[in-house]
Amino acid sequence: MNQTLENFLNDVEKKNPNQPEFLQAVSEAAEHIFPYIENNKKYQNQTLLERLVEPERIIIFRVAWTDDAGAIRVNRGYRVQMNSAIGPYKGGLRFHPTVNLSILKFLAFEQVLKNSLTTLALGGAKGGSDFDPKGKSDAEIMRFCQKFMTELAKHIGAQTDIPAGDIGVGNREIGYLFGQYKKLQNNFTGVLTGKDIAYGGSLIRPEATGYGTIYFVEHMLQEQNKSIEAKKICISGSGNVAQYAAEKAIEYGAKVITLSDSSGYIYDQDGIDTEKLNFVKELKNGKRGRIKTYVEEYPNATYHANKAPWREKCEVALPCATENELDASHAKALVKNGCLAIGEGANMPCTKDAVDILQNAKILYGIGKAANAGGVAVSGLEMSQNAMGVSWTAEKVNQELKTIMKKIHEACVGYGTLENGEIDYIKGANIAGFKKVADAMLAQGAV
Ligand code: NDP
């Protein structure tokens, strides 16, 4: 490691103690951005990277709410407004017991570079709460969302900061959050994305992250004259991203053999077809059930408690659950089993050691900030539709999404092609994402 890069990372660590996920995300990006700055006079001596890792603003607040038994519960709410150089803050809200400042700062940092890659004018942010939606009644979810928004509403706005969903925040939660914002501000505005189509949502927004991941993986494979068709695919997660990655993969003729949740994974040797996927959607979105129920409905499949799916033989692996879910031992198993490509539907799902193993084995590595940027891209399109007061057709939005994913892939190839002709998607995504933000920061001066 270059000595100065090491100093930079040491300083970040000193300033942000006990934030391992944030440091992991910064160090992965800095590894490529730091030398890029050193080799480009325009970016030198501007403290750009130091500014980039310092959030513009962090809001932390108490959320006190009443459960169905009448007891008062307390959770912590956050919004990390990371960088607004190229547009208003934009990024999801996560409700999960593991949420803390380190996780939200890593997600917000990733979001800055990801949003830049989409070619849209979107700054980066992330927020959420350590609230656990599991096992809560609808009424409890609504009351929590209303209390959360009562504080958050002071800090967001259609031209300031436009949150969306993430883990634990889907269509239902966005509805309650939007309702409370509107009530407080007396203003019907596109302040959140991922809204239902009935009140300003965009067609294809629910599908966008998963579909976009498949479009990206297909571009990576096509670069090597291959295709996703007929490939065996392991997917983790069974939430929003996993469901629609599976849907598009099936449509492209691939064979999806696994899905999971935080309790374990199911393996279906016959492949998960559209009918089986519809069962999963109903199970997870409607009944809010567990993935193990799949094997009761389809007894040919097997359930593996407390395990991740990465030891199953596949040609494409799509981690679509959460950060650091795929470790070095999983990566070794994927390499041994002849995996060709990884598409990160989730944010930073591979540990640093896993990434090194996959890259050394020359597996195509579709990094999350590029591969899963389709969600925020269509959120950007939802904002445009809201601003114009129009609603585009699914075909139009899907076509825009395809175009954006193609451009993101081209940007990765443009900045990530090595002298030997191989493409380093990590390098490409980080530098392409950085460049636009850096140019805007230079133009706007030290603010
Ligand atoms: P959902 O809440 O819809 O689904 C999350 C899925 O991941 C669930 O199946 C959940 O299982 C599983 N999961 C969560 N935590 C863990 C864990 N610790 N170990 C194993 N499985 C786990 O979230 P999304 O699908 O929206 O998000 C998934 C990932 O994609 C996240 O990394 C998110 O940041 C990223 N992402 C999402 C975007 C979006 O548009 N929604 C956009 C870009 C990235 P269980 O039900 O047991 O909790």
Side-chain angles (χ1 to χ4, degrees):
M1 192 189 289
N2 178 305
Q3 180 56 23
T4 329
L5 171 59
E6 202 170 323
N7 288 347
F8 165 75
L9 291 174
N10 283 339
D11 287 347
V12 177
E13 188 164 3
K14 257 190 240 151
K15 235 180 164 179
N16 303 277
N18 306 317
Q19 297 189 358
E21 293 86 2
F22 179 57
L23 289 173
Q24 185 184 341
V26 168
S27 108
E28 177 214 81
E31 205 174 295
H32 297 288
I33 295 173
F34 201 96
Y36 182 74
I37 291 176
E38 281 196 322
N39 291 327
N40 284 274
K41 203 162 185 297
K42 177 180 171 188
Y43 301 121
Q44 289 166 6
N45 304 317
Q46 298 287 341
T47 334
L48 276 167
L49 209 39
E50 290 80 353
R51 285 195 265 161
L52 206 63
V53 299
E54 195 62 29
E56 290 179 8
R57 189 178 298 106
I58 299 180
I59 301 134
I60 302 183
F61 49 99
R62 181 179 70 202
V63 187
W65 58 282
T66 312
D67 67 18
D68 286 346
I72 295 175
R73 307 265 202 114
V74 179
N75 286 99
R76 190 170 287 174
Y78 303 84
R79 187 70 178 162
V80 178
Q81 296 178 333
M82 198 78 190
N83 192 298
S84 61
I86 64 168
Y89 305 110
K90 179 95 199 86
L93 296 171
R94 177 179 290 192
F95 291 169
H96 196 272
T98 56
V99 162
N100 59 33
L101 204 49
S102 173
I103 288 186
L104 293 180
K105 280 173 67 182
F106 119 63
L107 289 165
F109 178 75
E110 291 281 290
Q111 198 80 47
V112 173
L113 300 170
K114 180 192 306 190
N115 291 3
S116 166
L117 279 173
T118 64
T119 70
L120 304 175
L122 302 169
K126 203 83 190 189
S129 174
D130 58 358
F131 172 75
D132 187 357
K134 278 204 196 80
K136 304 287 188 301
S137 70
D138 255 11
E140 288 176 324
I141 299 280
M142 182 180 75
R143 284 197 295 275
F144 176 80
C145 287
Q146 290 175 341
K147 285 304 198 68
F148 181 84
M149 182 52 87
T150 300
E151 179 60 35
L152 188 69
K154 298 170 192 165
H155 311 284
I156 61 174
Q159 305 296 330
T160 312
D161 183 352
I162 307 95
D166 190 78
I167 292 179
V169 178
N171 192 260
R172 170 181 62 167
E173 290 74 19
I174 292 289
Y176 294 144
L177 291 164
F178 181 81
Q180 182 71 355
Y181 182 88
K182 180 166 65 68
K183 172 96 181 160
L184 290 168
Q185 308 287 5
N186 194 24
N187 191 357
F188 195 114
T189 163
V191 69
L192 290 157
T193 58
K195 300 185 291 297
D196 199 86
I197 196 71
Y199 62 94
S202 174
L203 291 167
I204 306 294
R205 176 60 188 91
E207 294 87 347
T209 309
Y211 279 16
T213 301
I214 298 299
Y215 297 150
F216 192 86
V217 168
E218 182 68 354
H219 283 303
M220 289 199 305
L221 288 167
Q222 277 176 3
E223 198 67 33
Q224 297 200 342
N225 298 318
K226 294 177 182 133
S227 152
I228 207 163
E229 194 183 348
K231 298 286 183 297
K232 268 194 190 163
I233 303 196
C234 278
I235 298 181
S236 65
S238 49
N240 173 269
V241 180
Q243 289 172 17
Y244 290 105
E247 182 168 289
K248 188 53 76 178
I250 295 166
E251 191 189 313
Y252 274 23
K255 185 173 180 182
V256 178
I257 51 172
T258 69
L259 286 171
S260 74
D261 60 25
S262 54
S263 309
Y265 79 93
I266 57 108
Y267 169 70
D268 188 337
Q269 60 178 2
D270 303 331
I272 299 166
D273 59 17
T274 303
E275 183 217 305
K276 293 172 180 174
L277 184 61
N278 286 340
F279 170 81
V280 172
K281 285 183 187 167
E282 178 53 28
L283 174 73
K284 300 303 281 187
N285 311 344
K287 299 182 186 136
R288 299 188 187 269
R290 309 301 297 158
I291 198 68
K292 71 174 176 205
T293 309
Y294 184 95
V295 297
E296 291 164 22
E297 189 74 13
Y298 303 106
N300 258 0
T302 51
Y303 177 64
H304 307 263
N306 302 317
K307 285 195 178 131
W310 312 123
R311 292 181 211 286
E312 301 295 349
K313 193 170 165 52
C314 66
E315 287 135 323
V316 176
L318 305 178
C320 297
T322 194
E323 58 274 359
N324 291 328
E325 55 165 308
L326 196 160
D327 66 19
S329 71
H330 299 135
K332 281 182 196 153
L334 287 169
V335 172
K336 186 166 153 267
N337 284 332
C339 182
L340 300 171
I342 309 282
E344 293 188 333
N347 286 306
M348 207 169 74
C350 299
T351 63
K352 166 80 179 118
D353 290 348
V355 176
D356 291 345
I357 291 165
L358 296 165
Q359 280 210 306
N360 285 339
K362 314 269 184 222
I363 291 181
L364 291 169
Y365 184 78
I367 184 172
K369 59 179 69 107
N372 70 39
V376 72
V378 173
S379 275
L381 302 180
E382 183 174 331
M383 287 161 63
S384 304
Q385 292 170 74
N386 290 167
M388 291 188 277
V390 298
S391 188
W392 294 341
T393 61
E395 291 70 31
K396 176 169 169 64
V397 180
N398 195 25
Q399 193 47 54
E400 295 277 344
L401 170 64
K402 278 187 182 165
T403 305
I404 289 171
M405 295 315 295
K406 185 167 186 277
K407 282 189 190 158
I408 294 175
H409 183 264
E410 282 166 4
C412 290
V413 172
Y415 287 99
T417 301
L418 308 177
E419 275 173 13
N420 63 6
E422 283 168 16
I423 301 161
D424 182 340
Y425 284 93
I426 303 184
K427 180 180 178 192
N430 280 307
I431 294 177
F434 166 76
K435 206 177 160 315
K436 185 171 161 194
V437 178
D439 289 342
M441 287 171 74
L442 287 183
Q444 292 168 25
V447 289

